[in-house]
């Protein structure tokens, strides 16, 4: 098995279909980068335009956001381990590590929902001012991506459990891992440019 | 059949020539017949660029006509001047990259200098302080406030000649653009911010002004007349207005902000006393007042529009 | 919501529209039932993943949209030539220019070109289909339903009326309440998904599925233009997605992005819109450049001059297209410095564009020009486009633009580039590749007639508009002063000339279907690129054997060597994807959700979105790996097609 892999590389790259899907997904991620960049730009332009609503510095809590960041960072790491196991052909280990990844993702979402509800209680909602519209849209779009990612990954886990690793399932597993890492990177930017700067300014 | 087409191509070559003839008639076109230094500088820039553009058009059209006629596949044409594998020539490709680049540079210089000049009052009248007029657009009318004179007009404007006018542009609601083509180019009126536009008339007369940026149903009718007159005549008009015109109350002003058309009105004070739509805190003044009124249709058509004149 | 609010009432023209929609739909339903064609329609077209059929559906839809946008244009021209007739009132006129602009750019120009790319690009690079045929079908249906959603607005709910640019705050909830503007947002959003997916799809196709041996710089120029266009799509469309989403959130969920309340920034919409909108202009012009290059090289019977320069100038234009968006609102008051920078970057685009013009002229040098109809379109393009181009440079000079902005000078300019560029290219491309698509050429006599009517009509319509613009006539006014009448009447006459040209073109399709000689070889025009190496009609798998390519103008080289794409010794079973109804169903459900969102029926919209997600889950569990076409079958098909 391993000799075969050496000769023709990872399973997901062996068929032309697999290669094309992965390339296509990279291009899709490029489009996603543009999408998030636009949201970041919008956020930057509307920064400080809070009208009568509270300023972000009054509401942001470093503890919650740090926990969220760690949850997502660790999930990216466990996702990496999962793919490592996929390369080894270990179906069970892959599924286990992916489930851990998704649970961490769910934890992240839980905190984010708590955070949003908390802000709404304090009078900062999507409707209250331009700044908060931009904030909720940027963070919310990321949260929506995480939610979709969890749903999507669940589908793939079921397929891997049923079929084991074929060029098709391992391609899907690899792509969801790319997606997950991408969401992590986006979060790093949200963490620094939204929360850290928002707390300081 | 083929021959006829060639004939047509030849006529195409006459197009730039006709352009020259048209241009000579163009001196009557509003933008090319400005009545003030700002419009004049823009006209000069346009005409300057037009010569280069005509040059390019003539060169391309000439080359085009030559190629199409000379190299058409006519019966009995031999292969003497047919070179199907000709695929490039670095020297000539560099030439036709560099020449446009030079033209762009030549055009950039006056563009940039004019741009910076337009940010200041026109040079000829710098000895006099510019006259400040707040031009506020509200669906679909114009308010002109003269803070120094303490008067306000709706849908018409009086200005002195040979003195720069400093328009402070803003809008009570939708985005508009103040454009008086005879005097010079436009700028946007937006709520919550203020733009400055310098214009000047050096000939007395009545000029058309309008909102040129589409802002809804009454857009077509958001026009006004500019009465440019000598400094003395202007002063007389100010004095007369101050004496005879009624006061504008905030209640009356709020009614006027209601979306719709308005006739010409004159007041002996300005609305700036209670609201300046160009500032951030007054940006939603009109929206808060009239939110529901924006969905009602005017049912404006050609018959309806004449009402504005008659009112 | 009451029924009389749901349907648009009170306009005779719209009642006529409703009646004609009902009549045409019932006629279609009747004919399909009478001839028992429902099954055929579903099996052969609605469920297809074949890039050629999808391309044809794109082009048919685009032609329908050209008709709709053209009718809008003619109505505007009638109103402006006879303002006293009260043909349209202000509100109706606003709706018509809004839909005219949106339909022409989003639902006509782009799908038409994407349709041609669909059919031609895989053939030009020796591929058997797209990289992702399923996604390709998905893209088409997203465009189709997006276009339908936008188009029903004029009978249901009311058309958008804030201009195709939909500047806020005018287009916001406060000043444009009701479903009209939502139709614009959801229609564009829905079809935007498909455009982005097509961009990715074609990019992967071109990068990964070229015939063995074909290097990037041996690709046909139309394929190159497609690749560059796809780059622009991938980097520009997400901006539109975000802009539309933000305005949707503003309008439906009460956010404050572009509002005057809550410290929103209306001008941010203009920025976002044009950050997509300017690249969009190049999305519709670069493929046109590609088509003209192919057509000119073919009928000049000469190799394209300066191929490398052509490619690099397109790449340069694509890059610059992202750096000029401010020139759409120089008059916003951004200051002299900002305007200077964007002025210069705008004018710089003229340099690579000029290089292309000269390269086309040089291609004609020492050539043998054959005046076929596609070539006529391509030749008419050069001088017409130059007029549009030089006036574009004039508009790029910000200080002068203060006088041109929002005037008919601008209208004349962008119609000169978009019609002489994109529309001429659509006609040229369609007529050029028509035999490849339908197995027969279009009639030359009617073709030339429609060409002359359209081209002369075009110049008569738009050339006077430069002058009426300089005379101070602003765009988007529904009535005019007497000074502008003569030139406007001339414009209207020209517009009807163009309409007549289009009518002749449509008649030509019917006439040629009945009368044209059927193609016997695949090489209708003595072509140079690989699409002409396939037999006509093209077998569904395109190439029985994929040729090895080592030269630019691959088919020319093959002809010299006597090679074909049918080498019996090298035949192998061909893997093809199966047809599937999932794309149309998925997009129909998403269209339902969008429709619900237009009327702000949130529950229904959520149900629709859940339905879409369920379709995606079903797709995820779909392991249909297609099927193989056996060698015997290929032999049978090829022998018949090649009349062996």
């Amino acid at each position: 098995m391993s000799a075969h892999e050496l000769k023709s590389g990872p399973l997901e790259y062996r068929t032309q279909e697999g290669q094309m899907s992965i390339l296509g997904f990279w291009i899709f991620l490029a489009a996603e980068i543009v999408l998030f960049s636009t949201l970041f730009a919008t956020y930057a332009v509307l920064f400080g335009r809070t009208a009568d609503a509270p300023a972000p510095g009054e509401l942001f809590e470093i503890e919650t956001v740090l926990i969220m960041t760690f949850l997502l960072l660790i999930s990216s790491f466990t996702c990496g381990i999962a793919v490592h196991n996929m390369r080894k052909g270990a179906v069970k280990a892959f599924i286990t590590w992916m489930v851990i990844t998704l649970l961490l993702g769910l934890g992240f979402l839980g905190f984010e929902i708590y955070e949003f509800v908390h802000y709404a209680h304090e009078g900062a909602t999507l409707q209250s001012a331009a700044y908060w519209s931009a904030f909720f849209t940027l963070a919310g779009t990321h949260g929506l991506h995480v939610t979709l990612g969890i749903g999507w990954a669940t589908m793939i886990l079921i397929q891997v459990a049923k079929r084991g690793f074929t060029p098709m399932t391992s391609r899907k597993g690899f792509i969801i891992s790319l997606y997950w890492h991408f969401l992590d990177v986006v979060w790093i930017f949200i963490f620094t440019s939204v929360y850290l700067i928002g707390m300081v300014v | 059949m083929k021959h006829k087409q060639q004939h047509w191509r030849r006529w195409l070559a006459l197009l730039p020539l006709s352009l020259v003839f048209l241009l000579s008639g163009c001196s009557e076109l509003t933008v090319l017949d400005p009545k003030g230094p700002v419009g004049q500088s823009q006209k000069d820039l346009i005409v300057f660029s037009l010569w280069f553009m005509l040059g390019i058009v003539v060169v391309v059209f000439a080359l085009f006509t030559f190629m199409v006629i000379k190299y058409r596949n006519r019966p009995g044409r031999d292969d003497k001047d047919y070179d199907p594998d000709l695929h490039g020539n670095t020297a000539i490709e560099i030439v036709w990259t560099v020449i446009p680049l030079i033209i762009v540079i030549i055009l950039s210089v006056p563009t940039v200098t004019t741009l910076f000049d337009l940010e200041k009052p026109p040079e000829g009248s710098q000895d006099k302080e510019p006259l400040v007029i707040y031009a506020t657009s509200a669906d679909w009318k114009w308010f002109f406030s003269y803070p120094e004179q303490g008067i306000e007009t709706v849908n018409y404007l009086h200005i002195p000649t040979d003195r720069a006018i400093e328009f402070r542009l803003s809008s009570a609601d939708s985005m508009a653009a103040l454009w008086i083509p005879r005097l010079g180019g436009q700028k946007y009126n937006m709520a919550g911010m203020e733009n400055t536009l310098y214009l000047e008339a050096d000939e007395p007369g009545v000029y058309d002004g309008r909102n040129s940026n589409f802002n809804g149903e009454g857009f077509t009718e958001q026009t006004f007349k500019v009465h440019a007159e000598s400094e003395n005549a202007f002063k007389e008009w100010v004095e007369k207005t101050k004496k005879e015109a009624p006061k504008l109350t905030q209640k009356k002003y709020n009614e006027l902000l209601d979306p719709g058309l308005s006739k010409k009105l004159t007041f002996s004070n300005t609305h700036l006393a209670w609201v300046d739509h160009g500032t951030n805190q007054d940006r939603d003044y009109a929206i808060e007042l009239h939110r529901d009124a924006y969905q009602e249709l005017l049912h404006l058509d050609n018959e309806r529009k004449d009402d504005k004149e008659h009112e | 919501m009451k029924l009389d609010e749901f349907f648009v009432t009170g306009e005779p023209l719209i009642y006529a529209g409703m009646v004609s929609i009902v009549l045409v739909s019932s006629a279609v339903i009747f004919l399909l039932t009478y001839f028992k064609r429902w099954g055929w329609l579903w099996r052969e077209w609605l469920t297809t993943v074949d890039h050629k059929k999808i391309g044809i559906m794109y082009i048919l839809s685009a032609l329908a949209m050209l008709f709709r946008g053209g009718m809008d244009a003619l109505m505007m021209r009638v109103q402006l030539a006879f303002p006293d007739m009260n043909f349209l009132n202000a509100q109706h006129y606003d709706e018509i220019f809004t839909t005219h602009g949106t339909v022409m750019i989003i639902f006509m120009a782009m799908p038409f070109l994407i349709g041609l790319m669909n059919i031609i690009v895989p053939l030009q690079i020796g591929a058997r289909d797209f990289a992702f045929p399923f996604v390709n079908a998905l893209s088409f249906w997203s465009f189709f339903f997006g276009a339908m959603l936008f188009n029903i607005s004029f009978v249901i709910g009311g058309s958008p009326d804030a201009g195709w640019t939909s500047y806020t705050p005018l287009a916001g909830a406060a000043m444009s309440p009701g479903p009209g503007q939502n139709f614009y947002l959801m229609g564009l959003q829905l079809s935007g998904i498909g455009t982005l997916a097509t961009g990715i799809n074609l990019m992967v196709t071109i990068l990964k599925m070229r015939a063995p041996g074909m290097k990037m710089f041996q690709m046909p120029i139309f394929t190159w233009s497609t690749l560059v266009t796809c780059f622009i799509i991938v980097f520009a469309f997400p901006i539109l997605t975000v802009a539309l989403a933000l305005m949707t959130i503003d309008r439906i969920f009460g956010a404050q992005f572009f509002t005057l309340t809550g410290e929103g920034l209306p001008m941010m919409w203009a920025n976002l819109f044009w950050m997509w909108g300017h690249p969009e202009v190049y999305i519709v012009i670069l493929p046109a450049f590609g088509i003209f290059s192919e057509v000119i090289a073919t009928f000049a019977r000469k190799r394209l001059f300066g191929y490398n320069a052509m490619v690099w100038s397109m790449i340069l234009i694509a890059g610059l297209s992202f750096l000029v968006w401010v020139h759409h609102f120089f008059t916003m008051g951004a200051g002299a410095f900002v305007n200077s920078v964007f002025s210069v970057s705008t004018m710089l685009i003229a340099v690579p564009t000029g290089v292309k013009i000269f390269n086309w002229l040089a291609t004609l040098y020492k050539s043998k020009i054959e005046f076929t109809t596609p070539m006529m379109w391509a030749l008419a393009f050069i001088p017409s486009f130059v007029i549009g181009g030089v006036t574009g440079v004039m508009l790029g000079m910000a200080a002068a633009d203060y006088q041109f902005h929002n005037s008919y000078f601008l209208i004349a300019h962008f119609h000169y580039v978009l019609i002489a560029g994109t529309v001429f290219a659509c006609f040229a491309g369609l007529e050029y590749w028509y035999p490849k698509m339908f197995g027969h050429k279009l009639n030359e006599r009617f073709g030339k007639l429609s060409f002359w009517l359209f081209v002369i009509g075009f110049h008569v319509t738009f050339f006077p508009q430069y002058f009426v613009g300089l005379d101070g006539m602003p765009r988007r006014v529904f009535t005019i002063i007497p000074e502008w009448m003569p030139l406007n009447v001339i414009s209207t006459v020209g517009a009807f000339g163009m309409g007549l040209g289009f009518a002749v073109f449509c008649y030509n399709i019917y006439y040629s279907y009945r009368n044209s000689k059927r193609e016997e070889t695949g090489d209708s025009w003595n072509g140079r690129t690989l699409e002409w190496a396939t037999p006509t009609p093209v077998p569904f798998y395109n190439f029985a054997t994929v040729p090895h390519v080592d030269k630019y103008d691959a088919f020319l080289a093959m002809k010299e060597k006597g090679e074909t794409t049918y080498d019996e010794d090298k035949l192998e079973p061909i893997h093809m994807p199966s047809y599937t109804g999932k794309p149309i169903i998925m997009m129909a459900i998403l269209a339902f959700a969008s429709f619900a969102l237009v009327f702000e029926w949130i529950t229904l919209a959520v149900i629709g979105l859940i339905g879409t997600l369920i379709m995606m889950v079903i797709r995820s569990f779909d392991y249909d790996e297609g099927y193989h076409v056996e060698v015997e079958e290929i032999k049978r098909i090829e022998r018949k097609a090649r009349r062996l």
Side-chain angles (χ1 to χ4, degrees):
Chain A
M1 187 71 193
S2 68
H4 183 69
E5 266 187 355
L6 268 179
K7 210 160 49 180
S8 42
L11 206 51
E12 64 268 19
Y13 280 105
R14 273 187 218 162
T15 60
Q16 200 204 3
E17 251 185 349
Q19 287 176 23
M20 289 194 303
S21 296
I22 292 168
L23 175 66
F25 196 77
W26 274 110
I27 301 171
F28 171 73
L29 285 185
E32 286 271 66
I33 290 174
V34 178
L35 184 131
F36 276 104
S37 310
T38 313
L39 287 173
F40 273 110
T42 307
Y43 175 85
V45 169
L46 296 178
F47 190 82
R49 303 181 77 93
T50 44
D52 304 327
E58 300 167 22
L59 295 189
F60 287 167
E61 291 167 2
I62 188 78
E63 299 84 13
T64 327
V65 185
L66 268 179
I67 296 172
M68 287 163 77
T69 308
F70 277 117
L71 286 177
L72 213 58
L73 279 180
I74 296 169
S75 84
S76 214
F77 180 67
T78 54
C79 181
I81 299 178
V83 171
H84 179 72
N85 280 301
M86 184 180 89
R87 293 274 160 78
K88 289 199 300 198
V91 174
K92 239 192 195 139
F94 171 76
I95 291 177
T96 316
W97 283 106
M98 273 315 273
V99 168
I100 295 172
T101 307
L102 298 186
L103 288 176
L104 288 166
L106 277 175
F108 168 86
L109 276 182
F111 274 102
E112 184 155 66
I113 291 167
Y114 156 78
E115 188 205 358
F116 282 9
V117 171
H118 170 67
Y119 293 167
H121 273 294
E122 299 289 324
T125 62
L126 184 74
Q127 290 89 1
S128 53
Y131 169 81
W132 287 108
S133 300
F135 168 82
F136 282 108
T137 307
L138 173 57
T141 307
H142 177 263
L144 190 68
H145 273 73
V146 175
T147 316
L148 286 176
I150 292 173
W152 179 17
T154 314
M155 300 299 121
I156 292 167
L157 286 183
I158 297 171
Q159 291 167 32
V160 171
K162 265 177 29 190
R163 293 164 186 269
F165 288 126
T166 65
M168 202 138 160
T169 53
S170 50
R171 182 244 292 166
K172 289 183 176 188
F174 182 67
I175 286 178
I176 186 74
S177 79
L178 287 180
Y179 185 71
W180 199 262
H181 293 310
F182 168 74
L183 293 182
D184 202 27
V185 173
V186 172
W187 179 256
I188 299 291
F189 280 96
I190 294 180
F191 175 66
T192 49
S193 61
V194 174
Y195 288 99
L196 290 188
I197 294 181
M199 261 177 279
V200 175
V201 178
Chain B
M1 183 76 195
K2 276 221 170 106
H3 189 73
K4 239 194 255 162
Q5 286 150 21
Q6 300 326 311
H7 222 69
W8 242 101
R9 301 274 159 205
R10 223 162 292 168
W11 279 103
L12 264 182
L14 287 178
L15 213 66
L17 207 64
S18 65
L19 210 76
V20 175
F21 286 124
L22 270 168
L23 273 180
S24 52
C26 279
S27 51
E28 278 162 32
L29 295 175
T30 314
V31 168
L32 299 180
D33 182 21
K35 304 293 185 195
V38 175
Q40 186 62 41
S41 71
Q42 283 159 334
K43 179 203 166 178
D44 292 344
L45 188 61
I46 292 170
V47 173
F48 176 75
S49 65
L50 211 50
W51 287 116
F52 284 93
M53 298 310 145
L54 269 180
I56 294 169
V57 167
V58 168
V59 168
V60 173
F61 279 37
L63 277 172
F64 176 79
T65 316
F66 170 77
M67 299 294 178
V68 168
I69 292 171
K70 175 104 194 275
Y71 297 109
R72 69 190 192 278
N73 188 16
R74 54 190 184 275
R77 195 186 135 189
D78 53 24
D79 279 351
K80 198 167 73 234
D81 54 1
Y82 175 52
D83 185 0
D85 292 321
L86 178 71
H87 58 77
N89 180 326
T90 315
I92 194 152
E93 286 180 54
I94 289 173
V95 169
W96 67 49
T97 314
V98 170
I99 291 179
L101 199 61
I102 293 172
I103 294 178
V104 167
I105 293 168
I106 294 176
L107 291 177
S108 296
V109 176
T111 303
V112 172
T113 53
T114 313
L115 270 176
F116 279 91
D117 288 345
L118 290 178
E119 302 281 302
K120 304 185 295 253
E123 258 173 36
S125 61
Q126 271 171 355
D127 49 328
K128 287 186 238 173
E129 274 294 298
L131 172 71
V132 176
I133 299 176
Y134 282 74
T136 309
S137 156
D139 283 5
W140 294 276
K141 49 195 101 60
W142 287 98
F143 294 92
F144 298 105
S145 323
Y146 300 68
E148 289 155 41
Q149 286 72 19
I151 53 178
E152 176 150 323
T153 59
V154 179
N155 284 345
Y156 78 103
L157 183 61
H158 276 254
I159 56 168
T161 50
D162 297 317
R163 179 174 169 195
I165 314 294
E166 182 179 325
F167 284 103
R168 306 269 177 87
L169 307 177
S170 67
S171 164
D173 36 41
S174 54
M175 187 170 91
L178 181 102
W179 190 27
I180 307 166
R182 286 265 185 221
L183 301 187
Q186 65 205 286
K187 253 188 195 170
Y188 288 162
N189 297 64
M190 292 167 285
M193 50 185 100
E194 194 173 86
N195 264 335
T196 307
L197 174 68
Y198 290 101
L199 293 176
E200 183 181 329
D202 49 18
E203 251 179 66
V206 181
Y207 308 124
D208 289 329
R210 63 166 304 120
N211 165 23
S212 63
N213 191 70
F214 176 68
N215 64 343
E217 197 189 359
F219 160 68
T220 307
E221 297 310 317
Q222 198 180 354
T223 57
F224 59 93
K225 292 279 183 205
V226 184
H227 302 265
E229 55 209 7
S230 68
E231 186 81 44
N232 284 337
F234 175 73
K235 273 192 189 131
E236 265 169 46
W237 173 77
V238 169
E239 290 308 317
K240 189 163 158 277
T241 308
K242 281 208 74 115
K243 247 186 272 157
E244 290 170 13
K247 288 271 180 218
L248 175 63
T249 61
Q250 186 163 9
K251 183 160 166 289
K252 169 79 177 162
Y253 180 70
N254 289 351
E255 276 166 27
L256 285 173
L257 283 183
D258 189 19
L261 305 180
S262 168
K263 54 188 175 180
K264 290 175 191 162
L265 297 169
T266 317
F267 300 103
S268 54
N269 60 333
T270 73
H271 75 265
L272 297 171
W274 56 84
V275 58
D276 179 357
H277 301 282
T279 61
N280 197 37
Q281 84 246 23
D282 287 339
R283 67 213 306 269
D284 52 0
Y285 184 83
I287 292 284
E288 296 292 356
L289 270 176
H290 292 297
R291 185 179 280 275
D292 295 331
Y294 288 94
Q295 37 191 307
E296 278 159 31
L297 286 183
L298 296 178
H299 299 290
L300 180 69
D301 60 20
N302 243 321
E303 281 154 27
R304 191 47 235 287
K305 87 167 208 228
D306 296 332
D307 298 351
K308 186 186 162 193
E309 318 291 324
H310 295 148
E311 266 178 60
Chain C
M1 174 168 277
K2 282 186 242 102
L3 209 58
D4 66 330
E5 284 171 20
F6 186 70
F7 288 106
V8 178
T9 51
E11 279 284 345
L13 280 171
I14 290 176
Y15 288 134
M18 286 182 189
V19 171
S20 59
I21 287 175
V22 171
L23 284 179
V24 170
S25 330
S26 24
V28 169
I29 292 172
F30 172 76
L31 285 175
L32 283 170
T33 315
Y34 185 79
F35 291 106
K36 299 196 172 64
R37 283 298 204 162
W38 283 104
W40 164 82
L41 184 70
W42 177 258
R43 278 191 311 275
E44 296 291 320
W45 293 94
L46 303 187
T47 58
T48 187
V49 294
D50 182 337
H51 69 100
K52 300 179 287 296
K53 285 185 174 173
I54 291 175
I56 286 170
M57 290 195 292
Y58 262 118
I59 291 172
L60 284 180
S61 318
L63 282 172
M65 290 295 109
L66 181 58
F67 175 74
R68 198 249 145 119
M71 288 307 284
D72 284 347
L74 289 180
M75 280 155 78
M76 287 191 283
R77 283 317 323 166
V78 169
Q79 167 65 19
L80 287 181
F82 309 103
D84 292 329
M85 247 173 55
N86 272 327
F87 177 57
L88 303 174
N89 65 21
Q91 175 61 24
H92 202 172
Y93 190 84
D94 297 347
E95 292 173 6
I96 287 179
F97 71 66
T98 302
T99 49
H100 168 76
T102 317
V103 162
M104 284 302 200
I105 295 279
I106 308 278
F107 301 123
M108 192 292 283
M110 250 195 327
F112 206 125
L113 295 167
I114 289 179
L116 290 172
M117 292 174 186
N118 251 278
I119 300 169
I120 299 307
V121 167
L123 293 174
Q124 279 196 332
I125 60 174
R128 292 206 166 107
D129 206 320
F130 270 43
F132 314 111
F134 180 93
V135 177
N136 194 26
L138 211 60
S139 295
F140 170 73
W141 291 111
S142 99
F143 146 70
F144 181 81
F145 284 116
M148 289 302 110
L149 186 64
F150 185 84
N151 273 280
I152 53 162
S153 66
F154 85 105
V155 287
I156 296 175
S159 296
D161 58 359
W164 88 280
T165 49
S166 285
Y167 273 13
T168 49
L170 175 63
M175 291 185 213
S176 299
Q181 189 58 28
N182 294 350
F183 271 114
Y184 170 92
L185 294 169
M186 300 318 296
L188 262 64
Q189 192 70 288
L190 192 55
S191 66
I193 299 170
T195 311
L196 180 60
T198 298
I200 298 174
N201 206 342
L202 270 166
M203 212 147 125
V204 177
T205 307
I206 294 170
L207 291 175
K208 284 277 182 187
M209 294 176 72
R210 296 192 306 280
M214 185 188 275
K215 297 197 191 76
M216 293 293 277
F217 274 82
Q218 287 167 344
M219 295 195 311
I221 198 82
F222 178 62
T223 301
W224 252 116
S225 73
T226 302
L227 181 63
V228 178
T229 305
C230 290
F231 265 98
I232 307 182
I233 288 177
V234 167
F235 287 101
F237 261 77
I239 306 176
L240 177 71
T241 306
V242 170
L244 293 172
L246 298 189
M247 204 203 273
T248 310
I249 300 172
D250 256 13
R251 289 180 56 87
I252 299 180
F253 302 104
Q256 313 272 9
F257 287 104
F258 309 121
T259 55
L260 288 177
T261 51
E263 292 201 74
L265 263 184
M267 278 316 286
M268 195 173 64
W269 165 266
N271 273 285
L272 291 177
F273 182 84
W274 286 115
M275 277 161 83
W276 159 79
H278 200 84
E280 164 69 17
V281 173
Y282 290 92
I283 292 173
V284 295
I285 203 70
L286 288 183
F289 288 169
I291 292 169
F292 290 130
S293 302
E294 299 285 357
V295 169
I296 289 176
T298 303
F299 296 109
R301 303 274 163 241
K302 183 163 167 282
R303 191 175 159 164
L304 184 69
F305 192 90
Y307 171 85
N308 286 356
M310 288 298 225
V311 172
W312 283 109
S313 61
M314 280 197 288
I315 295 172
L316 203 61
I317 290 173
L320 282 172
S321 76
F322 283 90
L323 304 174
V324 299
W325 79 93
V326 170
H327 73 214
H328 294 273
F329 43 86
F330 277 141
T331 50
M332 188 180 69
F337 179 74
V338 173
N339 281 356
S340 300
V341 170
F342 281 94
S343 237
V344 173
S345 65
T346 301
M347 284 191 274
L348 275 181
I349 291 192
V351 176
T353 315
V355 167
K356 295 187 83 72
I357 294 280
F358 287 118
N359 274 326
W360 284 312
L361 287 175
T363 307
L364 297 178
Y365 177 68
K366 293 199 173 179
S367 67
K368 267 188 185 170
I369 301 170
E370 280 176 41
F371 292 95
T372 58
T373 319
M375 185 61 166
M376 304 276 278
W377 287 109
L379 289 177
F381 151 77
I382 295 176
S384 313
F385 191 81
V386 166
I387 297 177
V390 294
T391 49
V393 175
M394 291 170 71
L395 280 157
M397 303 167 66
D401 180 69
Y402 294 173
Q403 286 279 34
F404 299 139
H405 187 59
N406 272 333
S407 79
Y408 261 73
F409 191 88
L410 167 75
I411 302 292
H413 156 70
F414 73 68
H415 283 92
Y416 255 87
V417 283
L418 284 174
I419 295 182
T422 308
V423 178
F424 284 15
C426 288
F427 284 126
L430 184 57
E431 294 188 11
Y432 177 55
W433 284 307
Y434 201 86
K436 190 87 311 195
M437 299 176 205
F438 297 102
H440 60 86
K441 286 181 186 170
L442 284 172
N443 180 280
E444 280 285 304
R445 211 156 45 87
F446 282 114
K448 295 225 166 87
L449 180 63
S450 74
F451 166 83
W452 284 115
L453 281 169
F454 197 90
V455 171
I456 295 170
F458 159 72
H459 284 283
V460 172
T461 311
F462 294 105
F463 202 65
Q465 294 187 353
Y466 283 118
F467 298 94
V468 81
L470 286 175
D471 206 21
M473 178 170 166
R475 68 194 293 200
R476 295 172 169 178
V477 288
F478 80 104
T479 179
I480 55 177
I481 59 171
E483 285 86 335
W484 300 329
M485 276 301 286
L487 288 174
N488 270 286
V489 172
I490 296 175
S491 268
T492 302
V493 172
F496 277 89
M498 292 168 79
L500 204 58
F502 181 68
V504 173
F505 183 85
C506 291
Y507 176 72
N508 194 10
I509 291 178
Y510 169 76
Y511 179 87
S512 308
Y513 169 71
R514 298 294 299 267
N515 298 317
S516 269
K517 196 164 76 60
R518 305 296 114 160
E519 290 294 310
E520 286 173 0
T521 68
D523 187 12
S524 314
W525 305 106
N526 193 9
R528 312 169 75 84
T529 39
L530 275 185
E531 73 267 34
W532 304 109
T534 55
T536 295
V538 186
F540 59 93
Y541 49 76
N542 294 355
F543 297 91
T545 51
V546 179
H548 184 89
V549 175
D550 54 4
K551 252 187 158 155
Y552 175 63
D553 280 343
F555 184 47
L556 212 60
M558 281 172 72
K559 281 193 274 192
E560 273 165 22
K561 284 188 271 183
E563 290 171 6
T564 68
T565 58
Y566 178 55
D567 189 341
E568 283 207 20
D569 307 331
K570 288 195 199 151
L571 283 183
E572 278 172 26
I574 297 172
H575 176 240
M576 294 302 289
S578 332
Y579 282 14
T580 161
K582 288 187 196 89
I584 182 173
I585 296 171
M586 196 187 291
M587 281 303 154
I589 298 174
L590 195 57
F592 169 78
S594 311
F595 182 77
L597 215 49
V598 164
F599 287 93
E600 304 180 18
W601 300 329
I602 305 299
T603 326
L604 282 180
V606 170
I607 293 172
L609 283 175
I610 292 174
T612 313
L613 284 175
I614 292 174
M615 283 309 294
M616 288 164 92
V617 171
I618 294 174
R619 166 64 183 163
S620 176
F621 282 92
D622 177 9
Y623 276 74
D624 183 349
E625 292 188 9
Y627 62 97
H628 282 87
V629 190
E630 297 308 324
V631 171
E632 284 312 307
E633 170 91 6
I634 300 171
K635 277 187 185 164
R636 200 175 51 74
I637 294 171
E638 288 290 321
R639 280 187 186 142
K640 183 158 168 269
R642 289 170 190 273
R643 291 160 185 86
L644 293 173

